[in-house]
Structures are given as C-alpha cells and as structure tokens.
Amino acid sequence: MQSLNTRWYSRMNKKSCRYNTNALFAFFFFVTFFSMGMPQHVSAQTGAALNYDGTNDQVQITGYQGISGANVRTIEAWINTTTTTQRPILEYGTPLEGLWFNFNVTATGRLQLAISNNNISSTNAVNDGNWHHVAVVGENANLLKIQFYIDGILETNSAVAGGGPGLINTDPAGTDVRIGYSPGLNTFFEGSIDEVKIWSTNRTQAQIQGYRNCEVSAQPNLAAYYTFNQGIASGNNPAITSLTDASGNGRTGTLQNFILQGSTSNWVAPGGVSSGVTCNPATNDYMSVATGSWNATATWIRFDGGTWVAASATPTSADEQITISRGNNVTFSNTILNIDQTVVEAGGTLTLTGPNVSLSDGPGADLTVNGTVNLNGSALNQNAGSEISVNSGGSFVFNSGTLNGDGSVAIQSGGTFSFAGTGTMNLAGTKTFNNGGTIAWS
C-alpha cells in the first residue's frame, strides 16, 4: 500500500480528525473485534426449495394436464444439480410421438425437450452444482422453434434428434403434470428445484430476464406457480406434503416419497430466489442482463410501465432503480456517471474504473451492495446525504482511487468493506462509517 489519506467524521467520538494509517488500522481492528463478539439470535429458517434424492421423489399436480395441443407455453424453474444421468424437471402428456412434453436435463447437463423419439437440446450445461434459472418456450407446434434460456440467456440449440416430424401436439388427456418425475421414463430428478412457473403464453427474453430473480403475483396467463417457500429448511417436516400453487388457480401439488427430514429429500434453503422478494418494478427501472459495459445498451433491459423491454439507452440517476443482476459483472470506464438507487444483487459485480462516478442522494440507500463493488482507480463522489449500504454477504472492495464527498457508509452484519489494494486509496470529505459488519485491511 502506497498511501491512505482520510478526513472523515466518526459517530464514535463526535470529532472531525485526521488519522494516520496505524491509528486507522487500530480503529478498524477494534470495531471488527468488538462486532465479532456480539451475541446473535439464530432461528429456524423457512424452506425455500425442494431437494430430490433422485430415487423416488416426485410432486404430482393431480388433475392438471398442463398446456396441451400445439398451444404456446413457457416453463420456468430454478434448478441445482450435478447429475450425470438424464433427469426430468417437469413432464406431462403421453409418451407417444408429439403427444409428450418432457423438459429434462440430459446426462451431459444440457437442457432438453423430448416429445417422444424426437428431442432438441441446449448447447450449454447446467449440472455444475450451482443454481440456474432455466426456461423452455414453445412458440408453435414446431420443435425447431423451441427456445431454451439459461440464466436469461438465449441458447443455441442442437439439431432435432429422432428422425420424426418434430411436431408438438401434447395430449390433453395425458398424465398429470409431474415436477421432478418422468412417468414415461420412470426417472427422478436429483438435486433441488425452486420457483416453477407454467405460462400459457410465450414469454419474451426481456420478461424472462426481468422476472427470474424475484417472486411474481397471480396474473393472466400464469397457469401454475410454485414458490416452494414451505416447511423448515432441513428440519422435521412430515406434515408438509402439499406444494402450494401461488397462481390463484388452485393447482396444488402433492409430495410423494420424500423423507422430509435432513438436508436431502426435504424442504431446504437457500433456493434459487430469495423468499419474499417480489417483482414490483417501477417505470424506468433498469436491470442488467449480461456482463459488459455500463454504457452498452445490450447490458440492460428497462421496465416500460407494463413489462420489461430491451433498453434503448443506458441508466443514470434520472431513472428509477438500477439493478446489477446475479452473474453479471458490469464495468464503468467512461468519463462521468451519475447514479442513484443502484442495487448490486448477490452474485452480481459492479466494477468502477472510470475517472468520475457521482452518487446522488435519493430515497433509502443509494448504493446497496448485496454482491460485490470494486473501486478500481475511480473517484466515487458521494453527494451530501447519500448512503452506501453493504449488506450481509456483500463486499465493497477498495483497490485504488478515491471515495469522496459527505455521505455515509453502512456496513451491515455480514457485510465487508475491504481496503484491498496496493495503490493509492484516498478517503476525502466528511464521511460517516457505521460498522456492524467487518472492515478489513489486507
């Protein structure tokens, strides 16, 4: 580390003062040590997903045979698996050519839609042991027109295999919808499933991207919806054998053969989506949908007041909430940027390398860090009253540059603010640090 210059305001001693690096380190050590010693209350966690053992676990939606015929449909789910054998995500219909609808993970971890002998698969795999949002969209009766999405990204598909006509005409009198079980193949899912949605419409890429990281409300074309927010995670749940349908259509699922205790074959946490986080976008909310430059419109989608659409401009403080999505690393490297109401989701990264980023003071926290923010040589200027909140699991990494202005930084329990660089790191202005987490010096 070459230098650290700071002038800030501490609520602990009510004085404005200048610290050298040794004094500042001692203060950080005291606050971190003191915080680690505080007692914490631990309570049982509600389940957020359902784990399948791959042997005989299944959920049956009794009396519901899914979207039939050649009608448009979209199936979405969050899954977590390491399977190396073919495993069903959702199935219904009759296992005869064209009459079957089997959405599965292949032995190589690809998404696949099988309509009996004919099938089509994605290019990328999802069997890496991480949570992935997966979707299959059927626009018409032609298997060639099937679209797969992995974490909101449209897949390039394989050629249709099987040699038949590849026409979808799902049997309306076939088997009930099963989640995690294939009656046609007598195979069972292995891993965890969360947030299953069955839509009677072909969802757009922007809609899939915009709503995949949150829970939705009952609405037209949402035929069935399961949040899996039930039971006690990895607890004793022998009485929790029904899966609630949140679509309002009363299509309750019945759990079959689950052990319902321990961390396997039971309600578990965490799930693919944080429980209780609902989708309530405002007009001119922006959300990242790819890793890339802040100044590239392809990085973003925008809520137009009715639905999510591809962005035609890039977000600034003049817009509403700006969200950096899980799995995306958005980098700002241009001349100047003004932001406000910006949220970095868990698993998302915002990297600031541009010379000047201004944080305006709006409602609530102005930069909420649930993922990672890297300050790499940029000047992050906090306007008076603006707040950076580093939440549990979040990390603000100060590698180099300047954290300037008269705002505040709140490090919540489980959050980390790290002085991690070897270059010049400047703290300037009158700044309040409220530490309930960890301030690290590396």
Side-chain angles (χ1 to χ4, degrees):
M1 180 178 296
Q2 296 178 13
S3 66
L4 174 67
N5 301 314
T6 179
R7 181 177 182 276
W8 60 311
Y9 181 78
S10 169
R11 287 183 177 171
M12 295 183 65
N13 59 21
K14 305 297 184 184
K15 291 183 181 178
S16 230
C17 52
R18 183 180 298 275
Y19 290 98
N20 62 30
T21 56
N22 292 331
L24 196 58
F25 175 78
F27 170 72
F28 292 159
F29 177 82
F30 168 77
V31 173
T32 304
F33 180 79
F34 180 78
S35 299
M36 289 173 61
M38 295 296 290
Q40 297 184 14
H41 174 72
V42 178
S43 58
Q45 184 176 4
T46 302
L50 194 57
N51 180 266
Y52 292 70
D53 62 9
T55 302
N56 60 0
D57 295 342
Q58 63 166 299
V59 175
Q60 180 174 353
I61 318 301
T62 304
Y64 178 52
Q65 288 79 42
I67 312 299
S68 62
N71 292 308
V72 297
R73 69 201 75 175
T74 302
I75 311 296
E76 297 183 68
W78 279 90
I79 64 170
N80 186 322
T81 186
T82 57
T83 187
T84 54
T85 58
Q86 188 176 33
R87 301 287 183 176
I89 301 170
L90 183 144
E91 178 183 306
Y92 60 97
T94 300
L96 297 172
E97 191 57 47
L99 301 179
W100 200 38
F101 196 90
N102 175 284
F103 183 32
N104 68 78
V105 180
T106 70
T108 56
R110 274 67 177 172
L111 299 180
Q112 183 183 84
L113 179 65
I115 60 171
S116 193
N117 292 329
N118 284 266
N119 62 76
I120 192 168
S121 302
S122 68
T123 298
N124 291 303
V126 294
N127 61 340
D128 58 1
N130 295 313
W131 280 104
H132 292 284
H133 180 269
V134 298
V136 57
V137 180
E139 293 189 4
N140 57 36
N142 193 332
L143 193 59
L144 280 171
K145 299 295 185 181
I146 285 292
Q147 296 175 328
F148 292 112
Y149 293 88
I150 297 176
D151 297 323
I153 305 302
L154 178 64
E155 282 288 295
T156 300
N157 293 346
S158 68
V160 173
L167 297 179
I168 300 169
N169 187 26
T170 314
D171 188 357
T175 61
D176 292 336
V177 170
R178 293 327 206 277
I179 302 173
Y181 173 55
S182 166
L185 298 176
N186 194 32
T187 54
F188 300 85
F189 189 79
E190 184 177 19
S192 296
I193 298 179
D194 187 18
E195 286 289 307
V196 172
K197 303 184 187 82
I198 302 175
W199 300 89
S200 59
T201 186
N202 51 329
R203 301 283 280 178
T204 67
Q205 182 173 17
Q207 288 172 328
I208 289 170
Q209 292 168 329
Y211 293 103
R212 67 188 176 93
N213 289 321
C214 50
E215 297 175 356
V216 301
S217 57
Q219 56 193 277
N221 299 316
L222 183 57
Y225 174 39
Y226 307 96
T227 65
F228 294 83
N229 298 339
Q230 297 175 236
I232 301 300
S234 302
N236 190 21
N237 297 298
I240 314 299
T241 58
S242 294
L243 178 63
T244 302
D245 176 16
S247 73
N249 294 316
R251 290 166 174 151
T252 302
T254 301
L255 278 64
Q256 299 178 20
N257 305 319
F258 287 84
I259 297 171
L260 296 178
Q261 61 181 9
S263 59
T264 304
S265 188
N266 196 9
W267 305 99
V268 295
V273 169
S274 297
S275 300
V277 177
T278 56
C279 302
N280 295 302
T283 301
N284 289 329
D285 276 2
Y286 277 77
M287 180 184 298
S288 73
V289 293
T291 290
S293 169
W294 184 293
N295 289 83
T297 56
T299 303
W300 305 99
I301 56 176
R302 181 183 68 86
F303 190 73
D304 67 0
T307 192
W308 289 97
V309 297
S312 58
T314 57
T316 71
S317 60
D319 297 302
E320 297 298 321
Q321 180 169 299
I322 305 166
T323 301
I324 311 299
S325 300
R326 157 182 10 205
N328 295 163
N329 184 349
V330 177
T331 301
F332 177 76
S333 58
N334 286 45
T335 304
I336 190 167
L337 174 67
N338 295 310
I339 60 173
D340 179 26
Q341 299 182 68
T342 299
V343 177
V344 182
E345 290 185 339
T349 302
L350 174 61
T351 301
L352 302 175
T353 62
N356 198 316
V357 178
S358 180
L359 187 63
S360 299
D361 177 26
D366 304 291
L367 176 57
T368 301
V369 186
N370 299 314
T372 302
V373 172
N374 296 311
L375 189 59
N376 293 351
S378 181
L380 177 54
N381 302 306
Q382 285 190 260
N383 292 333
S386 65
E387 178 185 349
I388 298 171
S389 181
V390 185
N391 294 337
S392 179
S395 179
F396 190 109
V397 184
F398 197 164
N399 289 310
S400 62
T402 299
L403 183 55
N404 194 17
D406 299 333
S408 62
V409 179
I411 303 103
Q412 312 295 347
S413 177
T416 303
F417 189 102
S418 300
F419 290 89
T422 57
T424 300
M425 293 173 282
N426 295 306
L427 291 175
T430 302
K431 197 166 301 297
T432 304
F433 276 71
N434 300 307
N435 183 36
T438 301
I439 298 179
W441 188 308
S442 58

